[in-house]
Amino acid sequence: MNDMQQTIINAFNFRHATKRFDSDKKISESEFNTILEAGRLSPSSLGLEPWKFIVVQNSEIRNKLKEISWGAKGQLETASHFVILLARKNVTSKSPFVQHMIRDIKQYSEDSIPATEEKFDNFQTSFHINDSAQTLLEWAKKQTYIALGNMMTSAALLNIDSCPMEGFDLDAVTQFLSDEGLMDEAHFAPSVMVAFGYRESAAKEKVRQPQSHVVEWVE
């Protein structure tokens, strides 16, 4: 195993779901920006980036979130940085967002856009993604987990701890973010939360199934 391989394995062994952080230790602006960039640069289905990251540093907002996020109370109290990943709703070929992506961001030529839209439609139909608004949202939520994983791995490579969380009241958090002006409910929905910081106490030894139990080779 070369040095880079060992560095990667060490990072995954280092990472654990940190329930409480050392609230006196803060992540540097430069390092946290690296974590955010890992999320921003993550791959997504059709390259559509159907996400938004809300970094919640305001203590009053965090305290209110604690009341409706039972799985994040310790992290909200102690994390250096706390992020809510939002999934974009109704991502279809003709939606304003997708049109913005293919025309303004990716800058596809005008004559290629009909074929691109058809490709998007065929893909979403074949996977039953565009069956309903709910299936579209669930597909977008899956994309946020790619960004989530890359952010946590990047943090671990920087010896920064993290914890992903689904332990929250979805309806209550949706209403709260909307009421606080932090999320446009017409276009986004909460997907998952993640906290970053430095562990308060030592982690338990990582326990996983052996590779032979989870990997099957077909040759």
Side-chain angles (χ1 to χ4, degrees):
M1 184 178 293
N2 64 32
D3 290 346
M4 179 59 72
Q5 292 168 336
Q6 189 63 59
T7 296
I8 292 169
I9 296 303
N10 288 346
F12 278 97
N13 278 311
F14 167 85
R15 194 217 63 78
H16 80 291
T18 305
K19 305 304 182 184
R20 292 190 67 85
F21 299 87
D22 184 338
S23 57
D24 293 327
K25 293 183 179 180
K26 303 300 180 185
I27 302 169
S28 72
E29 180 179 347
S30 175
E31 287 181 313
F32 192 68
N33 188 63
T34 298
I35 293 169
L36 290 176
E37 282 292 275
R40 184 182 73 86
L41 295 170
S42 292
S44 58
S45 187
L46 300 175
L48 291 177
E49 308 166 42
W51 50 50
K52 185 175 182 180
F53 311 140
I54 306 296
V55 184
V56 182
Q57 299 302 87
N58 182 284
S59 59
E60 183 178 348
I61 296 295
R62 284 197 188 188
N63 284 333
K64 290 178 180 178
L65 274 173
K66 280 196 311 183
E67 301 306 312
I68 50 178
S69 306
W70 66 88
K73 291 183 183 295
Q75 294 90 339
L76 281 162
E77 290 175 355
T78 60
S80 170
H81 290 71
F82 193 91
V83 183
I84 302 173
L85 284 76
L86 307 181
R88 186 175 285 274
K89 295 180 175 180
N90 299 315
V91 179
T92 63
S93 65
K94 294 297 195 297
S95 66
F97 171 71
V98 171
Q99 289 297 311
H100 163 67
M101 287 295 294
I102 63 180
R103 293 174 185 273
D104 304 327
I105 302 301
K106 298 179 181 296
Q107 298 185 341
Y108 289 174
S109 62
E110 196 65 33
D111 60 355
S112 72
I113 288 177
T116 298
E117 292 173 343
E118 183 179 8
K119 181 182 75 172
F120 286 3
D121 292 340
N122 290 341
F123 166 73
Q124 290 190 323
T125 298
S126 67
F127 275 83
H128 299 282
I129 292 165
N130 55 6
D131 285 356
S132 67
Q134 186 60 39
T135 55
L136 281 166
L137 178 58
E138 292 304 318
W139 170 69
K141 285 185 175 183
K142 290 178 181 178
Q143 312 312 307
T144 69
Y145 279 74
I146 300 173
L148 170 70
N150 285 338
M151 292 167 76
M152 291 193 299
T153 298
S154 299
L157 287 164
L158 295 169
N159 290 317
I160 293 171
D161 291 294
S162 62
C163 185
M165 291 151 288
E166 296 177 319
F168 56 90
D169 184 322
L170 179 59
D171 292 338
V173 169
T174 297
Q175 189 64 55
F176 174 74
L177 295 176
S178 180
D179 290 345
E180 292 289 332
L182 299 175
M183 183 186 75
D184 183 347
E185 194 175 345
H187 298 293
F188 290 99
S191 179
V192 65
M193 301 174 175
V194 59
F196 297 96
Y198 297 94
R199 63 191 65 179
E200 184 178 68
S201 56
K204 295 179 181 179
E205 183 178 354
K206 189 178 292 292
V207 178
R208 291 289 189 273
Q209 297 179 73
Q211 190 181 110
S212 60
H213 288 194
V214 297
V215 176
E216 179 178 350
W217 288 72
V218 180
E219 296 180 308

